[in-house]
Amino acid sequence: MKERVRLGVNIDHVATIRNARGGVHPDPVRAAKLAAKAGADGITAHLREDRRHISDADIERLSDEIDLPLNLEMAATVEMLQIALRHRPHAACVVPEKRQELTTEGGLDVVAERAKLIPLVAELSGAGIRVALFIDPEARQIEAARAVGAPVVELHTGSYCEASAAARARELARLRRAAALTRTLGLECHAGHGLSFETAGPVAALPEVVELNIGHFLVGEAIFGGLESAIRRMRAVIDEARADSRGERPA
Ligand code: PXP
């Protein structure tokens, strides 16, 4: 099989469970090490402004203790920029953040936030951090991402994953068009949010997609069959979908 789609495992919700009791168990760093063993290509963690799951100490330990590339999800704030510059993760994915939301509900409005994003992207890139902007699969947002200097976009797959069976094909078509545009504009294309064993395959089959970031579903599945097994199965779903789309057998 040619280049496989990279799987970034988001460990935020291991920290959510830990924080429910305020102790140290379950440890997101242990989950990250297990993810590496199970076939993850990277670890993703979102340090939210309200620290509701991942903590500053988790980012410190992830930076020190894991061998896989770390993808720090962050809001476009001065505080997060300083933290990113201090830790210098492999990548930073800039996401919109609202205090009251349960999760990252929509993509960044790069068109409206252009003036704020240009210096942020420049500072992160200048520090050697690969910057992605998390956006809805819309042409104007992709064009704006390129205009502010981001080398990568992560397409928000939430609408596709939450769509009814009838609407899902339409949402996948939006993702397909958006992914194709990223290639035309010379951007690297990632995707994530809400992906499951059922929904990850069709996104992995889009030829421009090089990385998927998946968290909540994997941590949920871990309750029933263990984290390692959930990640291994996701790895297989992704590899099979990509190989099928190319008429190959998975490696
Ligand atoms: N990508 C981004 C940018 C996200 O903000 C999130 C959620 O933190 C994910 C991927 C993973 O989403 P989920 O936990 O629904 O798999």
Side-chain angles (χ1 to χ4, degrees), residues 10 12 46 73 93 95 104 134 154 192-195 213-216:
N10 181 315
D12 292 352
H46 185 177
E73 290 179 357
C93 182
V95 302
T104 314
F134 188 45
E154 180 162 327
H193 206 280
L195 294 170
N213 285 297
I214 309 180
H216 183 266

